[in-house]
Amino acid sequence: MITVLAVQFAVAAVAPLLFRKFGRNAFFALAAVPAASFIWLILQHDAIYSDAGHSPGAITEVWPWIPELQLDLAFRMDALAWVMSLLILGVGALVLVYCARYFSDKDDNLGGFGAQLLAFAGAMFGLVTADDLLLMFIFWELTTVLSYLLIGYARTRLSARRSALQALVVTTAGGLAMLVGLIILGSTAGTYRIQAILDEAPALLAGPAAGAVSAAVVLILIGAITKSALVPFHFWLPGAMAAPTPVSAYLHAAAMVKAGIYLVARLAPGFTEAPPWLPIVLGLGLTTMLVGGYRALRQTDIKLILAYGTVSQLGFLTMVMGLGTPEAALAGLALLVAHALFKATLFLVVGIIDHQAGTRDIRELSGVYGSARALAIVAAIGTASMAGIPPLAGFVAKESVFEAFVHYRSESGTGPWLLAGLVLGSVLTFAYSARFMWGAFALKPGVEPTAFKPITPAFLAAPAILSFLTILYGLWPAPVDGWVQPYAALFVDGTADGATSSPGHLALWHGVTPALGLTALTFALGLAMFYGRNVVSRLQSRVPGWIDADRAYQQTIGALDDTAVWITGRTQRGSLFFYLSVILTVAFVLPLTALLLADNPLPPNLYFVDPGSPLQLVAGAGIVIGALAAVRANKRFLAVLMVSVTGYGIALMFALQGAPDLALTQMLVETIILVAFVLAMRSLPAGLRDRTGGKYRVIRVVIGLAFGATMIFVAIYALGARVAPPVSLQFPQLAYEGGGGLNVVNVTLVDIRAWDTFGEISVLALAATGVASLIFVRGRGDRIRASASVAEGTVGRRTGARGSTRDDAALAMNRRFAAATRDAWLVAGRTLAPERRSIIFEVVTRLIFHSMIVFSLYLLLAGHNLPGGGFAGGLTAGLALTIRYLAGGRFELREATPVGAGTLLGIGLATAAAAGMTPLLLGGQVFQSAIVELWLPVFGDIKFVTSTIFDIGVYIVVVGLALDVLRSLGAEIDEHFEEQPGLSEDHEAVGGSAAAENDAENEDAEYADEESADAETTARGRT
């Protein structure tokens, strides 16, 4: 099962490349993946059904993930999961084949669409095979996200975006409620394994935690009814018909909306005795069946007829699967298979009609039967099965459903309302089935025959195969009966009402029974309703328009938007003083109130300064002076510099307290932040304006002092409130024995708390991308355009006007240095104007750059046992690149780093992820480290810890982040200044004087002979 999942997602990842090469025919390659998985599934039949009817078999796979949190990659393939997987993989393969002729090579983003559809198949397969509640929820939400993307495929259409967002909001809200229920249920049961919870269900419902279990069941059912579009959340499914028809056929007929039905079916063997179960399942199921059927009769779009029909059938399925009797379980799973076959067939037929005729409106479609008889026959088979007409799959399944509810009424003694509602819903189903067939294919009086393009066999293949399977299922239901019997047997062991009854069996003919009589009544009333459709339409028109769930949803969202606008207008006032006042006031008032109410004494042994380190007074004084100077500064640069002074003071504090790792990291971070601020401030005015009046200064002082004092006492009380030994006391031993290193800080980052570090570097990558997206308009700017050299006169001519203010001899020396071809690794001489260069800085850069890079690698490799690590090493390398940029400008930065920042960030994240996943593939846990001891010539005994690979990923991410900052805040702003001289004082002077420009050109001419002579001398010397 893990392999099937991995293949699905792996091929989905490369799908865009396949479409780029093969066009729409790449859908055939994608279809091969679920098709091969389908074959694998068939081969597992004997392992699952070896003891069918007695002790149902199952295939289990468990990969340890986080055992301490009871999180495992646990999968279980039993009869229910096998049948669901059969539909997911089989129908998925046919839909992908259908897509190869439904779409055109001219359609946009086919690669993304194909990848999402295949990934959805993988997510659904993971959902139905997951044997862990939290793992199932992960796949559940993954299907939600992918369905949002697939529904919104036509992103330029407002209706598609609106429908996708509506589906996302409704199903995500239900999913969050379900998550709470899953956590309650797993915590109460003491395990998150689904099968173990079902085994303990009777004891849980009878125990002291029965109330919590009932609450959990309600919350889980909320997730199921939102996912399967039951009333009152049914409106999102018809809206999702804005998606391409293959999406509707797969997600909204055969797969996604079945997720809620699957959840009900999965929990029914254990929790049908829970008090809220039957009222919710039967009440909402019957209401949805009737509402969906009623709304289907009002539609003029054949796709919407099927959409509301799907809503009705989902209510029907929920009732049957949740009833909790062996007969109902058998009939429900049989109906689920039949529904997937006929409804997928009909949606694909609608797609062909829309594709070939250009319309889905029954008022415009006329005579399609005469133009596409094969299509009409396929549609007639699917429609007849949906209506429950023999000898098709729908008839076999619906007869079993009627039989189950007849027996349930007689055994439970309930009133006739449930059975009567079921018959009425079936009558509506028959009526809208006839309406669909008549509307799509009949020749209508007064309507011109619809022009219809010929259909290729490849286009018709998928619905034809599904219709054939519908016939085969109806005539020979024995295989399906064998598939569903093990699931029905779960209800015989006394876990639900009617436990003493047998599941029965599926058959085309059961004789003359009450169920057959109900079927005949359904046909008669359904035909009468169809032929009296005009009367029905007039009656429906009298129903008030305000009875509409979709309208209620829109009004609710509108009210939320209005409330948000009202609150935003009163809180988001564009005042930094206001925002900080609110944040800091809340941040000190609430903790201070808690401290006062607690009335706890201060902890003993408090001291103002560590007796062993009196230098803390010096560092503290420096921090205070830096903070006060930053507040009083009237220049941006001075303010930032003073803030950095406080940061360096904190680094000194760390060093004095014996934390060299923290001190080193703090110092490097402060330095790189200082550079980033200085680069960004070039686009801002030099002076700082006091944006708040004098009347607010006292308030700011009070809030600042109160916040600082409160945080001090919070920290003191927090340290004194400890009642257990700190977990950090065990870190040295854990670091050495488990992580194989002496540096507790670095081992903690890359081993003990590797998940935290991976999340942090992911945030770093996102932050870098966000900064770049704010600055770069057309691209990330990974590649900086080449520029003509100063020696050729391009840059020198542009900025040469300022050369008149410099010493002529210095300019001459700079120009000669620019023309030199030796030591070309620092190209500042060819890209910077002479007046902007610093020879001393360039010489220093030549001396220390390589040493800093080597030192950064030393910090990376030595960090496991000595101060350093990937983060500190990456910051050191970033500072080396910063120095090189400051010495040579943006083109020097381009020469120094031919690899783009985005590429480095991606490589770093991939390296860290690979370091985490590789142990899992080798039978270990995610981010588990291994210690390799070996002897190498020259090097001697070597102890290598595999977490170093993760640290290398951190190093690369940090270097990529530094490079992104330099290219965003440095190189890109440089380019803006060069393209728009008015942005800086230097370029204003250049652009404002034509005479200076001419002087610069004359000056270039004067030095041309000298440069030629230098070049000739150099060439002669090399010769």
Side-chain angles (χ1 to χ4, degrees), residues 759-999:
E760 290 166 1
I761 62 176
S762 300
V763 171
L764 284 178
L766 290 173
T769 303
V771 171
S773 66
L774 292 174
I775 295 177
F776 295 103
V777 178
R778 293 181 296 270
R780 192 187 190 106
D782 281 347
R783 296 188 177 275
I784 301 174
R785 294 192 297 273
S787 173
S789 68
V790 174
E792 294 169 353
T794 302
V795 179
R797 224 177 358 258
R798 181 168 184 167
T799 58
R802 296 186 60 85
S804 59
T805 63
R806 293 285 189 94
D807 183 73
D808 292 343
L811 283 174
M813 181 184 68
N814 282 349
R815 291 184 180 278
R816 290 191 183 94
F817 194 72
T821 57
R822 300 184 299 275
D823 301 323
W825 73 269
L826 188 60
V827 298
R830 298 186 176 276
T831 58
L832 285 182
E835 63 273 11
R836 296 182 60 186
R837 294 180 59 199
S838 170
I839 301 301
I840 296 177
F841 197 11
E842 291 178 25
V843 171
V844 172
T845 302
R846 291 171 184 269
L847 292 175
I848 69 172
F849 175 78
H850 299 91
S851 299
M852 291 184 69
I853 295 297
V854 172
F855 183 61
S856 75
L857 295 175
Y858 165 78
L859 291 176
L860 166 65
L861 298 176
H864 216 64
N865 295 289
L866 299 172
F871 193 75
L875 289 173
T876 304
L879 287 174
L881 293 175
T882 302
I883 293 173
R884 192 158 175 179
Y885 161 71
L886 295 175
R890 63 190 179 93
F891 299 109
E892 175 62 29
L893 183 63
R894 176 179 181 272
E895 294 294 327
T897 54
V899 180
T903 304
L904 284 177
L905 290 170
I907 292 174
L909 283 176
T911 302
M917 295 302 297
T918 301
L920 184 64
L921 300 177
L922 297 177
Q925 301 175 17
V926 179
F927 288 118
Q928 182 177 352
S929 297
I931 302 174
V932 181
E933 297 184 4
L934 67 160
W935 183 89
L936 294 176
V938 179
F939 296 98
D941 292 327
I942 300 294
K943 184 176 76 170
F944 177 77
V945 184
T946 56
S947 60
T948 304
I949 301 174
F950 178 82
D951 215 10
I952 293 172
V954 174
Y955 175 90
I956 297 173
V957 167
V958 175
V959 173
L961 174 67
L963 181 60
D964 216 9
V965 170
L966 292 175
R967 289 187 168 177
S968 301
L969 301 179
E972 182 67 9
I973 295 178
D974 288 344
E975 188 171 353
H976 288 330
F977 283 160
E978 293 175 7
E979 293 176 353
Q980 304 178 35
L983 292 177
S984 68
E985 294 180 1
D986 290 344
H987 294 290
E988 285 175 0
V990 175
S993 176
E997 185 76 22
N998 294 332
D999 291 342

Side-chain angles (χ1 to χ4, degrees), residues 514-567:
L516 185 62
L518 294 177
T519 299
L521 178 63
T522 299
F523 291 170
L525 294 179
L527 284 172
M529 183 172 284
F530 170 70
Y531 283 110
R533 56 185 176 274
N534 293 330
V535 177
V536 174
S537 179
R538 286 194 295 270
L539 291 175
Q540 288 182 324
S541 64
R542 296 179 181 178
V543 177
W546 54 266
I547 302 179
D548 189 341
D550 182 62
R551 179 173 299 179
Y553 167 82
Q554 295 301 332
Q555 290 174 348
T556 303
I557 296 297
L560 289 175
D561 288 341
D562 293 341
T563 305
V565 170
W566 184 86
I567 294 175

